Amino acid sequence: AATGEFTGRTAGIVNMREGKLARLARWLDEQGLAASSVTTATFYSDSINDLPLLTAVGTPVVVDPDSRLRAEASRRGWPVISLID
C-alpha cells in the first residue's frame, strides 16, 4: 500500500507466466535491444508456468520438468535434460 503497510497484493507486472515475457521485453527495450532478441536466446525451465517464455525463445530447454511441462516438451520436440543424480 502507499502507506508502506504489507497487503500481500502484487504491484506492476508479476514475474510469472506471460508477465515474465512482458518484463523481459521491457528490460530488452531499456537496454536498447530489439524484442526479437529472444528468438536467438536459450531459456531453461522446469515449470509449465514458463511456457510463454519457452515458446518465445529460439532454444527452449526443459530441465527436470513437472509432468505438464514434460508432456508439452514431448509434444513440441523440445530437449529435456536432468540435473538430478
PDB file of all heavy atoms in Angstrom, residues 26 42 44 53 85:
ATOM      1  N   ARG A  26      10.323  -5.551 -21.685  1.00  0.00           N
ATOM      2  CA  ARG A  26      10.597  -4.212 -21.151  1.00  0.00           C
ATOM      3  C   ARG A  26      12.089  -4.042 -20.864  1.00  0.00           C
ATOM      4  O   ARG A  26      12.673  -3.007 -21.167  1.00  0.00           O
ATOM      5  CB  ARG A  26       9.773  -3.972 -19.892  1.00  0.00           C
ATOM      6  CG  ARG A  26       9.931  -2.547 -19.379  1.00  0.00           C
ATOM      7  CD  ARG A  26       8.965  -2.214 -18.292  1.00  0.00           C
ATOM      8  NE  ARG A  26       9.293  -2.988 -17.096  1.00  0.00           N
ATOM      9  CZ  ARG A  26       8.533  -3.039 -16.022  1.00  0.00           C
ATOM     10  NH1 ARG A  26       7.381  -2.416 -15.982  1.00  0.00           N
ATOM     11  NH2 ARG A  26       8.899  -3.737 -14.975  1.00  0.00           N
ATOM     12  N   THR A  42      18.444 -18.749 -25.409  1.00  0.00           N
ATOM     13  CA  THR A  42      18.181 -20.067 -24.829  1.00  0.00           C
ATOM     14  C   THR A  42      17.584 -19.839 -23.457  1.00  0.00           C
ATOM     15  O   THR A  42      18.058 -18.985 -22.708  1.00  0.00           O
ATOM     16  CB  THR A  42      19.483 -20.883 -24.710  1.00  0.00           C
ATOM     17  OG1 THR A  42      20.046 -21.044 -26.011  1.00  0.00           O
ATOM     18  CG2 THR A  42      19.230 -22.245 -24.085  1.00  0.00           C
ATOM     19  N   TYR A  44      16.048 -22.018 -19.992  1.00  0.00           N
ATOM     20  CA  TYR A  44      15.910 -23.287 -19.287  1.00  0.00           C
ATOM     21  C   TYR A  44      14.800 -23.152 -18.252  1.00  0.00           C
ATOM     22  O   TYR A  44      14.739 -22.149 -17.545  1.00  0.00           O
ATOM     23  CB  TYR A  44      17.207 -23.623 -18.544  1.00  0.00           C
ATOM     24  CG  TYR A  44      18.394 -23.834 -19.452  1.00  0.00           C
ATOM     25  CD1 TYR A  44      19.124 -22.756 -19.944  1.00  0.00           C
ATOM     26  CD2 TYR A  44      18.787 -25.122 -19.806  1.00  0.00           C
ATOM     27  CE1 TYR A  44      20.217 -22.956 -20.774  1.00  0.00           C
ATOM     28  CE2 TYR A  44      19.884 -25.329 -20.633  1.00  0.00           C
ATOM     29  CZ  TYR A  44      20.592 -24.234 -21.113  1.00  0.00           C
ATOM     30  OH  TYR A  44      21.671 -24.441 -21.930  1.00  0.00           O
ATOM     31  N   LEU A  53       7.435 -18.017 -22.105  1.00  0.00           N
ATOM     32  CA  LEU A  53       8.822 -17.669 -22.415  1.00  0.00           C
ATOM     33  C   LEU A  53       9.502 -18.790 -23.194  1.00  0.00           C
ATOM     34  O   LEU A  53      10.243 -18.532 -24.147  1.00  0.00           O
ATOM     35  CB  LEU A  53       9.590 -17.345 -21.134  1.00  0.00           C
ATOM     36  CG  LEU A  53      10.963 -16.722 -21.284  1.00  0.00           C
ATOM     37  CD1 LEU A  53      10.995 -15.573 -22.285  1.00  0.00           C
ATOM     38  CD2 LEU A  53      11.486 -16.256 -19.948  1.00  0.00           C
ATOM     39  N   ASP A  85      21.100 -36.346  -9.892  1.00  0.00           N
ATOM     40  CA  ASP A  85      21.944 -37.557  -9.946  1.00  0.00           C
ATOM     41  C   ASP A  85      21.124 -38.795  -9.834  1.00  0.00           C
ATOM     42  O   ASP A  85      20.163 -38.952  -9.213  1.00  0.00           O
ATOM     43  CB  ASP A  85      22.978 -37.529  -8.812  1.00  0.00           C
ATOM     44  CG  ASP A  85      24.008 -36.441  -9.061  1.00  0.00           C
ATOM     45  OD1 ASP A  85      24.220 -36.070 -10.226  1.00  0.00           O
ATOM     46  OD2 ASP A  85      24.591 -35.967  -8.064  1.00  0.00           O
TER      47      ASP A  85
END
